[in-house]
Amino acid sequence: MQIWTGQSYPLGATFDGSGTNFALFSEVAERVELCLLAEDGTERAVEITEVDAYVWHVYVPSVQPGQRYGYRVHGPFDPAAGHRCDPSKLLLDPYAKAIAGMASNHRSLYSYSFEDPEQRHEEDSAAHTMHSVVVSPFFDWGNDHPPAHEYHDTVIYEAHVKGLTMLHPDIDDGIRGTYVAMGHPAIIDHLKELGVTAVELMPVHQFVQDGHLVEKGMRNYWGYNTIGFFAPHNEYAYGGDTGQQVQEFKQMVKNLHEADIEVILDVVYNHTAEGNHMGPTLCFRGIDNSSYYRLVEEDRAHYYDTTGTGNSLLMRTPHVLQLIMDSLRYWITEMHVDGFRFDLASTLARELHEVDRLSAFFDIIQQDPIISQVKLIAEPWDLGEGGYQVGGFPPLWSEWNGHYRDTVRDFHRSEPGVLGDFTSRLAGSSDLYQHTGRTPIASINFVTAHDGFTMRDLVSYNERHNEDNGEDGRDGESHNRSWNSGVEGPSEDPEVRALRLRRAKNLMATLLVSQGVPMILHGDEMGRTQGGNNNTYCQDNETAWMHWELDTDQMDMLWFTQQMIALRQKHPIFRRRRFLQGVVREDAGSPLADVEWIGTDGTLMTAEDWESAENKCLIMFLNGSAIPEPTLRGERIVDDSALLLFNASGNDVEFTLPPADHGESWTVTLGTGTTMELGETLTAGQSVTRPSHSLLVLLRPPMSDDEPAGEDHEPTTRA
């Protein structure tokens, strides 16, 4: 075997069409071996003698795609000083583009004795760990290009590759649960008919099946336990784990792009699957523990943990920052993804202790010409002190708006005293984002997400029902802001079922008429239930998978969601690019404000209305003739105007429409709990009785003939 010196950049295994260059960073290493693995498991060690700026490198002309490999790093094993090198452990390449196999919970993966943790355990791990794989970078992308949807036009669909596809009747059994299934016409057709513009995939970076879950016969379903930041998770590959997962992932992205759907990845750069000081040695720990992880300064044998998973990556070291930036650029340039949602993003902002919005991580993102141009979404909290940072991220970022979720849930379960906060969330949460120069797209609005109840369960359960998780029902959020509509769990009572359907529609409609960027949890559009389990992280089964056989209520929910998304996409008033002002503006072309808050009597809400804790009803007026922001071509946007009638109380309420200066006639467009015909006309000053827990959308065209609507509006009719 020929061995050449190779190059220190790029890091990882790089196949150039002839051979493969290997490069690995380790500042603490005293000696590094590249281990090439044959199909029968035999190992050939290649001594790496070249090292530049702590990067060990070698070029092997004979190594081709599909070759499995790993590293053995010789150096200090001194946990008290933060060092845990252990050459008995075959280590993954942090830059591996594909990973084969799955780590077992074998004792050989641990560098300490189970019987006496103070004693070293030097059993070889090669047969029980995961292996890095050399991949070919070549793929026929054809004319693939990013859909590049404007943020304010975006509707995000949070989805799980396996959960979404595992039970679909039109997908062959053999490919269900894979990237191939995610790119299947049956899935893409559903997404297109629904009207979403982007899928946000739950973690697809290579992750580990936690040993304690495997021992209980369960699995890490969600995938928030990353070990490979460049490698698509191999269990979602139809064609095996020898590099085929890369090709399948690229084809999935290509198929979704052809359907004009963006791909956003939920990424976990805050920690790794190696856990705390009692965890396995799989990769980073054995390569250079103190460079990759935050350690407790006064006790460097232990990890500083702000994630609740045992460790946190050390964001102030250049090589960790380089790893994350290289990973992000790789997924954009080589895998063609369109954005990222950063799990527990507050951890990424921690350089010393507190969350620092001017940390090096944000500085590097801001100046990067590639990463800064895709969609960047933060989960703006972690478990550390000061970790809840909704509204605290820099201007380039959007955020999961936890305030939006909590307020909308409270309003629609008739909690007192939330009306004012509810209107702030409807209007785009300017109180959270405007002070930093951001616009409504900073707010990723959501009512439900993977972590918590589904929308159907939110209106069907008061309590979590997580007994199947094996933790005596103690896991998961206990304060869900849910209401079971009168009966806990499944019910055949027609009144209870009707109320639940109406309330679920109210939540979905509110989400889709709110300023900001809506995110829908997969399955909420058709009433998916998890049986009251609000923490399905370990339920890789039909509890968490999406069921596609729909009853009448579920079909109704699906139709309603499709109509609401279509309404949003048709009308710019629901997806403004700038915050609503609530004042009359001379440059807006209307004598009325862009938004008005109107009481049930048809007049502007008074201070008494706002201050009443028991007030759970209002009318929101959105003025389609008062949108000052121009289009990209410079024309002023003019749209239909809307009245949104909200009744979150438990009683029927009489609403009086505002006077004729707001519009002489209004068209019933969509609603919940209504006996009105879609397309029916209501007039200024008319009184209408709205049932408890209901919502009504009324539209009217611009009032002057010389202000045509931005798009023609034809009310949808339905038997």
Side-chain angles (χ1 to χ4, degrees):
M1 179 184 292
Q2 287 186 314
I3 306 296
W4 300 354
T5 58
Q7 298 178 322
S8 61
Y9 186 86
L11 291 166
T14 306
F15 174 68
D16 61 8
S18 298
T20 303
N21 188 80
F22 296 89
L24 176 76
F25 160 76
S26 177
E27 184 174 349
V28 74
E30 299 165 355
R31 179 175 156 233
V32 174
E33 295 174 287
L34 167 67
C35 301
L36 303 176
L37 304 167
E39 291 186 8
D40 62 1
T42 57
E43 180 180 320
R44 179 167 185 174
V46 175
E47 187 85 15
I48 301 179
T49 58
E50 296 295 322
V51 55
D52 293 293
Y54 303 119
V55 176
W56 302 71
H57 54 91
V58 66
Y59 183 92
V60 186
S62 61
V63 169
Q64 302 292 301
Q67 173 68 57
R68 291 184 295 126
Y69 70 99
Y71 291 102
R72 296 188 187 274
V73 176
H74 301 257
F77 184 88
D78 184 2
H83 304 310
R84 295 179 180 270
C85 295
D86 185 349
S88 71
K89 309 300 177 254
L90 184 69
L91 304 175
L92 288 170
D93 180 355
Y95 279 71
K97 306 301 191 303
I99 293 174
M102 182 57 64
S104 67
N105 200 30
H106 195 267
R107 63 183 299 160
S108 64
L109 300 179
Y110 299 84
S111 293
Y112 61 88
S113 168
F114 287 0
E115 291 75 23
D116 183 1
E118 299 299 319
Q119 297 297 315
R120 286 283 302 277
H121 182 72
E122 300 183 71
E123 183 179 357
D124 195 284
S125 70
H128 302 282
T129 193
M130 312 160 84
H131 303 149
S132 306
V133 181
V134 177
V135 304
S136 170
F138 307 112
F139 178 78
D140 182 10
W141 282 104
N143 64 351
D144 180 74
H145 61 278
H149 293 295
E150 291 281 343
Y151 232 140
H152 65 281
D153 294 332
T154 297
V155 178
I156 298 173
Y157 188 77
E158 189 193 25
H160 189 287
V161 168
K162 187 173 184 180
L164 181 64
T165 65
M166 198 62 188
L167 298 177
H168 199 292
D170 295 333
I171 298 177
D172 292 342
D173 290 349
I175 63 173
R176 291 179 181 178
T178 68
Y179 303 120
V180 177
M182 188 68 208
H184 191 279
I187 297 298
I188 291 177
D189 287 348
H190 175 74
L191 298 174
K192 290 295 289 182
E193 291 169 3
L194 186 58
V196 298
T197 67
V199 290
E200 182 178 298
L201 299 180
M202 290 179 64
V204 294
H205 287 176
Q206 183 67 51
F207 59 86
V208 169
Q209 295 296 340
D210 308 62
H212 73 280
L213 291 178
V214 174
E215 289 176 357
K216 294 191 292 185
M218 295 186 289
R219 292 167 54 81
N220 179 356
Y221 172 62
W222 285 353
Y224 291 95
N225 208 13
T226 305
I227 197 61
F229 295 112
F230 294 78
H233 187 63
N234 57 30
E235 292 178 309
Y236 300 153
Y238 166 67
D241 59 4
T242 59
Q244 184 62 29
Q245 59 264 48
V246 178
Q247 301 296 311
E248 291 182 17
F249 185 93
K250 290 179 177 179
Q251 188 63 53
M252 174 196 73
V253 172
K254 184 178 178 181
N255 291 354
L256 287 164
H257 281 183
E258 286 177 354
D260 202 32
I261 297 172
E262 293 179 306
V263 179
I264 299 170
L265 301 188
D266 191 340
V267 290
V268 189
Y269 291 112
N270 51 74
H271 74 280
T272 80
E274 290 185 300
N276 62 17
H277 63 288
M278 303 296 285
T281 298
L282 304 173
C283 181
F284 310 93
R285 190 195 308 276
I287 293 171
D288 195 333
N289 186 63
S290 62
S291 289
Y292 280 111
Y293 293 118
R294 291 195 68 177
L295 305 177
V296 178
E297 289 300 326
E298 61 275 13
D299 180 11
R300 293 179 64 79
H302 292 86
Y303 296 83
Y304 187 84
D305 177 21
T306 60
T307 66
T309 60
N311 64 58
S312 302
L313 283 174
L314 183 58
M315 297 304 299
R316 67 175 182 263
T317 61
H319 289 284
V320 170
L321 290 170
Q322 180 186 4
L323 172 78
I324 296 174
M325 299 305 136
D326 286 348
S327 170
L328 292 170
R329 278 190 292 268
Y330 174 78
W331 287 96
I332 297 167
T333 60
E334 296 296 322
M335 308 297 262
H336 286 206
V337 305
D338 305 284
F340 305 93
R341 177 265 188 188
F342 292 79
D343 178 67
L344 299 181
S346 290
T347 292
L348 303 177
R350 292 181 184 273
E351 289 194 341
L352 296 174
H353 177 71
E354 67 283 347
V355 176
D356 179 7
R357 63 185 292 268
L358 299 179
S359 70
F361 174 73
F362 294 126
D363 293 344
I364 295 174
I365 291 281
Q366 181 74 37
Q367 61 79 43
D368 191 283
I370 295 173
I371 304 172
S372 64
Q373 297 307 301
V374 302
K375 291 180 170 66
L376 301 172
I377 303 169
E379 181 186 34
W381 50 76
D382 66 14
L383 300 184
E385 182 181 347
Y388 192 78
Q389 288 288 314
V390 173
F393 278 68
L396 191 65
W397 290 71
S398 297
E399 304 173 18
W400 271 26
N401 189 343
H403 286 311
Y404 181 94
R405 172 199 59 205
D406 296 345
T407 301
V408 170
R409 289 186 178 192
D410 278 345
F411 178 77
H412 281 298
R413 68 183 180 126
S414 298
E415 283 294 291
V418 298
L419 187 65
D421 200 18
F422 176 68
T423 58
S424 294
R425 304 309 141 227
L426 276 176
S429 297
S430 61
D431 57 322
L432 300 177
Y433 304 113
Q434 194 169 26
H435 69 284
T436 55
R438 289 193 277 176
T439 62
I441 65 171
S443 180
I444 303 298
N445 299 329
F446 69 106
V447 178
T448 54
H450 67 274
D451 187 2
F453 281 143
T454 66
M455 193 169 286
R456 178 173 170 180
D457 288 352
L458 194 66
V459 299
S460 303
Y461 293 90
N462 285 348
E463 308 295 336
R464 60 191 172 183
H465 295 268
N466 299 351
E467 291 76 15
D468 289 345
N469 293 358
E471 300 181 43
D472 297 323
R474 294 189 302 269
D475 62 301
E477 176 60 60
S478 59
H479 182 45
N480 294 284
R481 293 180 161 88
S482 62
W483 173 43
N484 64 18
S485 306
V487 176
E488 187 74 358
S491 174
E492 294 303 319
D493 186 325
E495 292 187 2
V496 171
R497 291 170 61 92
L499 176 58
R500 288 176 176 175
L501 178 60
R502 190 161 75 246
R503 293 182 58 226
K505 287 181 176 180
N506 292 340
L507 292 166
M508 185 66 75
T510 300
L511 177 65
L512 291 164
V513 298
S514 297
Q515 306 298 322
V517 181
M519 184 187 77
I520 299 170
L521 172 63
H522 82 225
D524 277 354
E525 75 275 17
M526 48 196 211
R528 182 174 72 92
T529 178
Q530 295 177 164
N533 191 321
N534 72 350
N535 190 32
T536 57
Y537 77 102
C538 59
Q539 296 297 320
D540 190 1
N541 52 50
E542 293 195 22
T543 296
W545 298 343
M546 188 132 119
H547 294 255
W548 293 86
E549 297 78 20
L550 308 183
D551 61 25
T552 302
D553 286 350
Q554 290 176 297
M555 292 175 64
D556 193 2
M557 185 70 190
L558 176 58
W559 175 87
F560 182 82
T561 305
Q562 291 169 335
Q563 300 307 307
M564 284 303 311
I565 293 176
L567 181 73
R568 179 184 182 85
Q569 298 294 48
K570 191 173 188 123
H571 292 287
I573 50 170
F574 300 123
R575 43 186 175 85
R576 292 276 301 267
R577 295 163 63 189
R578 298 290 182 265
F579 284 115
L580 298 164
Q581 300 297 312
V583 297
V584 178
R585 293 179 48 154
E586 293 182 2
D587 60 344
S590 174
L592 298 173
D594 54 4
V595 63
E596 290 182 0
W597 307 104
I598 299 170
T600 56
D601 63 356
T603 65
L604 294 178
M605 289 181 62
T606 65
E608 183 180 354
D609 292 330
W610 287 113
E611 293 167 3
S612 172
E614 298 307 314
N615 188 5
K616 300 167 186 177
C617 302
L618 81 153
I619 301 173
M620 182 184 190
F621 168 68
L622 288 169
N623 188 352
S625 298
I627 304 177
E629 57 216 45
T631 67
L632 294 176
R633 296 185 299 273
E635 304 109 336
R636 187 168 65 84
I637 298 172
V638 180
D639 189 20
D640 291 355
S641 293
L643 287 179
L644 308 176
L645 281 62
F646 295 91
N647 178 9
S649 75
N651 305 306
D652 294 352
V653 174
E654 185 177 272
F655 286 76
T656 300
L657 300 191
D661 61 342
H662 290 72
E664 294 188 0
S665 63
W666 296 88
T667 301
V668 176
T669 304
L670 281 170
T672 65
T674 180
T675 57
M676 296 178 180
E677 292 292 330
L678 299 185
E680 181 180 344
T681 299
L682 304 179
T683 58
Q686 181 175 343
S687 294
V688 292
T689 299
R690 302 298 303 138
S692 64
H693 304 290
S694 67
L695 178 149
L696 185 64
V697 179
L698 307 177
L699 291 177
R700 68 152 176 81
M703 289 193 289
S704 62
D705 293 337
D706 59 349
E707 293 178 352
E711 300 179 60
D712 292 337
H713 171 66
E714 294 292 338
T716 304
T717 58
R718 181 174 186 245

